[in-house]
Every structure is written in structure tokens, then in C-alpha cells.
Amino acid sequence: MNLIIAANWKMHKTRAETADFCRALLGDLDYFEGVEVLICPPFTALSAAADHIGGSALKLGAQNMHWEQEGAFTGEIAGPMLMELGVEYVIIGHSERRHIMGEDNRQIRLKLEAALENGLKPILCVGETEAQREEGSTTGVIKDQLIAALEGLPPEKTGSLVVAYEPVWAIGTGKAARPEDADEACSLIRDVIGEILGSGPAEKVPIQYGGSVKEANIGSFVKLASIQGALVGGASLEADSFSALIRAARKAVQS
Ligand code: PGA
């Protein structure tokens, strides 16, 4: 399975900054052997990114979507609008949306279904807060999030699903999870997906780790058998740190 490394830019970068990033990254690394690389700019910069990555191996993702196809939903963006721009992936249920914007498991389920219906590849984010980890409910939280998102989906429709394990306390803090903790959580995620969708489909789901991933630590995550990529925030904002991280990931899996 190829690694999938996704840049989640959150609310960063204008169209001009996006164009500069794409030029710099593709000037440095125009082909990513063994690694699927994607950038998830804000909605306003998606078309600028699409213009600059056309014809390259770099893929495009969105950070969110609404579950309806169109309608009276002020400020929202629908699947067909993303497809028109050449978007291939969409992040669903990022912890900043769950915990800052108040998205709940029901909304995340609707978004996941809409992504699959529209032919977008969902990157479903799950993970516990620091308080939940301290009180020992990490396993229960992750299970609940996966069950709410996936239970009852026809397994044959989930072939493009990606899951990202993102412990909330590790996001943007510089304090990444210990590889052994990420390994335990990602193994649990695959087991739970197996219980929900069956072990055959579960084997095919790439599971990413996210939370303070950088060049110096990505190797310790992607060399684990339980992890097939990373969702990267801060370290994806500069083309040189992002390309260094991609190289480090490739080296770790090849060695
Ligand atoms: P971070 O963000 O790499 O800055 O911790 C990761 C994410 O939010 O996906």
C-alpha cells in the first residue's frame, strides 16, 4: 500500500501563497515514488491549487464539505462544487471541526456518506482529547466515532476510505504521540473497522497518524505496520519542510 501524506493547511494561505507553494514543491519534488501526496488548501485557494498542480502527481483535497448536494445552507460547500475543481479527497470530522465548530458524530456520518456518494475519498479523523486519554476512555471514544461514521455502510462502497488517528492533544502542540501509543490506537482502529465492515475491507483502509508530525518524527510512525501515512498541519505550510518530510517518510519505509 502506498503511503498517503496529506497537508492540512487549515485557515492558511491565499491564492497567491498557494501558487507559490505549488511551484516550490513541484520544483523540488515532481514525483513521489511510493507516496500519494495531497494538499488541502482552504476552499478559496482550491482552484489556484488545481491550476498549478494539473498534470503533476500532487493531489488535491478539501478540509470539509456539507452533506447536501445544494440548497439553503449559507456558508457551506457541497460535494459537486469540490468535484468540479478536481478535488479528490476531503477531510471529514477533523478535531477542530468537532471541538471548535461543534460538529457531532451524526453530522460527520452524513458528510462521510455524501463524500462517498460524490466520488470523493474521505479522510475520516478520529481521536481522543487529553482529558479522555487521562480518564482511560481513549478506546471507547475511538470506537464510538468509528461506529457512528461507518456502521451500516455497504462495505463495497467504502473502498476509498482513509482514516486518520489524530489525538487532539497532539495537534498543533509540538507534542506528538509516542509511536507505541499511535501503534496501539491505529491497530485498534483497524480492528474496529474490521468488526464494522469485515476484515477484508478493513485491511485495505490506509490509516494515517496526525498530530505534530514533522521531518524528524515521521519515520517513527510510517515504519509501523499499523500506519500508512500522515495528516500534517504545521509542517506542511512551507514547501521545503513538507518536501523534507515526504523524503524522510519514503526513506523510512524503504529502509
Ligand atoms: P499539526 O496538525 O501537524 O499542526 O499538529 C495536524 C492536523 O491538525 O491535522
Side-chain angles (χ1 to χ4, degrees):
M1 202 188 284
N2 273 357
L3 293 179
I4 303 182
I5 300 186
N8 174 15
W9 288 353
K10 312 189 179 186
M11 199 169 69
H12 293 285
K13 293 199 191 293
T14 62
R15 289 171 57 84
E17 289 163 346
T18 298
D20 288 346
F21 177 101
C22 293
R23 260 186 240 110
L25 185 73
L26 292 170
D28 188 18
L29 268 184
D30 58 0
Y31 128 99
F32 315 97
E33 194 199 346
V35 189
E36 172 116 329
V37 180
L38 59 135
I39 54 171
C40 305
F43 290 129
T44 48
L46 283 170
S47 69
D51 289 347
H52 283 83
I53 67 181
S56 78
L58 189 57
K59 304 280 171 65
L60 199 54
Q63 299 174 18
N64 182 29
M65 67 181 289
H66 195 265
W67 55 84
E68 294 291 347
Q69 295 295 89
E70 62 177 2
F73 301 100
T74 302
E76 295 292 333
I77 301 290
M81 300 168 183
L82 299 176
M83 292 299 286
E84 186 186 33
L85 295 176
V87 170
E88 204 171 306
Y89 288 86
V90 59
I91 300 172
I92 304 281
H94 188 277
S95 72
E96 285 148 17
R97 299 217 52 89
R98 291 180 189 263
H99 298 291
I100 303 175
M101 315 309 282
E103 250 175 49
D104 60 24
N105 276 339
R106 185 195 70 89
Q107 293 168 318
I108 289 161
R109 166 60 176 249
L110 292 170
K111 290 180 181 202
L112 188 95
E113 286 185 23
L116 294 170
E117 282 302 315
N118 280 283
L120 290 157
K121 299 174 180 168
I123 301 178
L124 169 68
C125 300
V126 298
E128 79 289 359
T129 63
E130 187 155 37
Q132 289 165 334
R133 176 160 280 265
E134 277 167 9
E135 74 193 21
S137 53
T138 299
T139 301
V141 169
I142 292 174
K143 273 192 180 168
D144 287 350
Q145 290 172 338
L146 288 170
I147 290 169
L150 302 176
E151 197 168 56
L153 287 180
E156 66 279 7
K157 287 204 168 170
T158 59
S160 64
L161 174 68
V162 179
V163 174
Y165 168 58
E166 294 213 312
V168 181
W169 46 271
I171 296 177
T173 58
K175 201 177 89 186
R178 293 185 305 166
E180 54 271 37
D181 291 335
D183 189 25
E184 194 182 327
C186 292
S187 303
L188 167 78
I189 288 170
R190 194 172 308 283
D191 288 348
V192 176
I193 299 173
E195 284 162 22
I196 301 170
L197 299 176
S199 56
E203 283 311 310
K204 300 198 182 80
V205 177
I207 299 178
Q208 299 175 312
Y209 166 75
S212 298
V213 174
K214 47 186 195 257
E215 178 192 357
N217 64 15
I218 189 159
S220 61
F221 296 108
V222 296
K223 70 180 188 208
L224 297 168
S226 58
I227 295 179
Q228 292 77 40
L231 185 52
V232 186
S236 74
L237 288 173
E238 300 298 333
D240 54 356
S241 61
F242 192 50
S243 63
L245 183 152
I246 295 164
R247 285 198 177 88
R250 207 164 52 190
K251 204 165 146 205
V253 292
Q254 282 168 353
S255 65

